[in-house]
């Protein structure tokens, strides 16, 4: 992917992260880590990326999938995906009315999106409809217990979920929860935070809220973050940063 096209084509609104922006690198790599971990589920599959945003994730899925259709409601994002990622089919649609036939999709990918949706139940019902029997929903979302322990603060989020709430939503939608895991910092990021004497996340957020410039040391630490600095584990999910779920249509 090009590191420059996002800068030219899409504004950084705060609702999505983009590749190629130095101060977004931590969040971009955190999202990238989840896509990389879920790639094996998409090998040779017909994949629908529901809520594709800038499209970098759909392009990653397309590197192993038979076909990827990327769906988003934002018209500029859909146009951008069509220009920037020719291996991905981009379609504008509501996620509660997915533009594909019933039981026609092997995988629905929904990464860092469900927390933005007003009707999460209707969306999951659509996922079940479009998935073939045995098809998978791959879903990630911020863990409410660690992301917003004092109440949702991101103005773009409608409802954040904890592990139990996410599992219940998936089960109520008629999906079997094959896996509910958590993404967290690996050893390299823990070492960076130990060196700096605090949370890398909290430092970024505090400076953004205060409107202050980043110190050079923080900028260097954020720029150095890579996808492999995050790990996904099946234990102690309540303390994870992001939830990672694999749901299966029976």
């Amino acid at each position: 992917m090009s590191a420059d096209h996002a800068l030219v084509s899409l504004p950084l609104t705060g609702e999505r992260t983009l590749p190629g922006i130095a101060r977004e690198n931590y969040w971009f790599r955190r999202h990238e880590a989840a896509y990389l971990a879920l790639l094996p589920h998409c090998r040779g599959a017909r994949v629908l990326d529901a809520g594709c945003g800038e499209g970098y994730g759909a392009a990653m899925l397309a590197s192993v999938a038979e076909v990827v259709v990327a769906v988003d409601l934002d018209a500029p994002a859909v146009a951008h995906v069509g220009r920037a990622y020719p291996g991905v089919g981009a379609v504008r649609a509501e996620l509660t009315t997915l533009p594909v036939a019933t039981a026609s999709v092997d995988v629905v990918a929904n990464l860092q999106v469900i927390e933005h949706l007003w009707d999460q139940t209707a969306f999951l019902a659509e996922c079940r409809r479009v998935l073939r029997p045995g098809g998978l929903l791959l879903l990630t979302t911020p863990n409410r217990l660690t992301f917003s322990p004092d109440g949702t603060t991101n103005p773009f989020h409608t409802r954040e979920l904890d592990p139990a709430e996410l599992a219940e939503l998936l089960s109520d939608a008629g999906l079997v929860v094959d896996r509910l895991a958590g993404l967290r910092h690996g050893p390299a990021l823990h070492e960076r935070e130990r060196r700096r004497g605090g949370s890398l996340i909290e430092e970024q957020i505090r400076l953004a809220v205060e409107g202050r410039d980043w110190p050079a040391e923080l900028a260097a630490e954020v720029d150095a973050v890579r996808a492999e600095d995050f790990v996904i584990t099946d234990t102690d999910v309540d303390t994870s940063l992001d939830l990672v779920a694999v749901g299966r249509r029976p």
Side-chain angles (χ1 to χ4, degrees), residues 22 83 120:
R83 292 191 305 269
Q120 296 173 343

Side-chain angles (χ1 to χ4, degrees), residues 56-69:
Y56 65 85
M60 293 172 66
L61 301 179
S63 70
V64 300
E66 177 185 339
V67 63
V68 174
V69 175

Side-chain angles (χ1 to χ4, degrees), residues 33 56 88 131 168 204 225:
Y56 65 85
V88 173
L131 284 169
E168 182 178 22
Q204 292 179 77
V225 175

Side-chain angles (χ1 to χ4, degrees), residues 178-197:
D178 281 349
R179 187 182 187 192
L180 182 56
L183 179 146
R184 62 183 71 247
H185 289 175
L189 278 171
H190 283 306
E191 174 58 22
R192 289 191 183 106
E193 292 186 314
R194 187 198 63 77
R195 257 194 341 261
R196 292 192 61 77

Side-chain angles (χ1 to χ4, degrees), residues 26 185-206 217-218 221-222 241:
Y26 169 86
H185 289 175
L189 278 171
H190 283 306
E191 174 58 22
R192 289 191 183 106
E193 292 186 314
R194 187 198 63 77
R195 257 194 341 261
R196 292 192 61 77
S199 166
L200 195 61
I201 300 170
E202 291 177 5
E203 188 173 5
Q204 292 179 77
I205 293 173
R206 176 176 55 80
E217 296 85 356
L218 174 62
E221 295 285 9
V222 168
L241 298 172

Side-chain angles (χ1 to χ4, degrees), residues 209-242:
V209 169
E210 295 174 358
R212 293 170 52 197
D213 289 336
W214 284 19
E217 296 85 356
L218 174 62
E221 295 285 9
V222 168
D223 187 57
V225 175
R226 294 294 176 264
E228 54 266 29
D229 293 333
F230 299 90
V231 297
I232 295 175
T233 63
D234 295 287
T235 58
D236 201 16
V237 177
D238 282 356
T239 64
S240 65
L241 298 172
D242 295 324

Side-chain angles (χ1 to χ4, degrees), residues 6-7 9-18 21 24 53-54 72 74 76-77 116 154-157:
L7 295 172
S9 303
L10 288 178
L12 186 62
T13 63
E15 188 174 10
R16 58 183 168 234
T17 189
L18 307 175
I21 299 178
E24 280 292 298
E54 191 273 342
D72 204 283
D74 185 67
H116 297 272
N154 187 316
F156 296 106
H157 292 182

Side-chain angles (χ1 to χ4, degrees), residues 51-195:
C52 63
E54 191 273 342
Y56 65 85
M60 293 172 66
L61 301 179
S63 70
V64 300
E66 177 185 339
V67 63
V68 174
V69 175
V71 179
D72 204 283
L73 184 60
D74 185 67
V78 171
H80 169 77
V81 174
R83 292 191 305 269
Y85 304 109
V88 173
V91 181
R92 182 173 184 260
E94 289 273 6
L95 298 192
T96 51
T97 52
L98 295 171
V100 295
T102 297
S104 64
V105 173
D106 299 313
V107 175
V108 174
N110 183 249
L111 278 69
Q112 304 297 106
V113 174
I114 196 169
E115 66 275 6
H116 297 272
L117 303 182
W118 287 103
D119 196 340
Q120 296 173 343
T121 299
F123 166 66
L124 292 175
E126 268 294 90
C127 291
R128 191 186 190 285
R129 178 186 71 80
V130 303
L131 284 169
R132 63 166 175 78
L136 300 178
L137 170 64
L138 311 178
L139 187 151
T140 72
T141 189
N143 178 11
R144 178 177 59 78
L145 300 179
T146 57
F147 191 79
S148 299
D150 300 319
T152 300
T153 56
N154 187 316
F156 296 106
H157 292 182
T158 60
R159 182 194 177 195
E160 295 169 2
L161 302 163
D162 66 27
E165 290 165 341
L166 177 56
E168 182 178 22
L169 268 180
L170 295 175
S171 296
D172 287 349
L175 299 170
V176 176
V177 182
D178 281 349
R179 187 182 187 192
L180 182 56
L183 179 146
R184 62 183 71 247
H185 289 175
L189 278 171
H190 283 306
E191 174 58 22
R192 289 191 183 106
E193 292 186 314
R194 187 198 63 77
R195 257 194 341 261

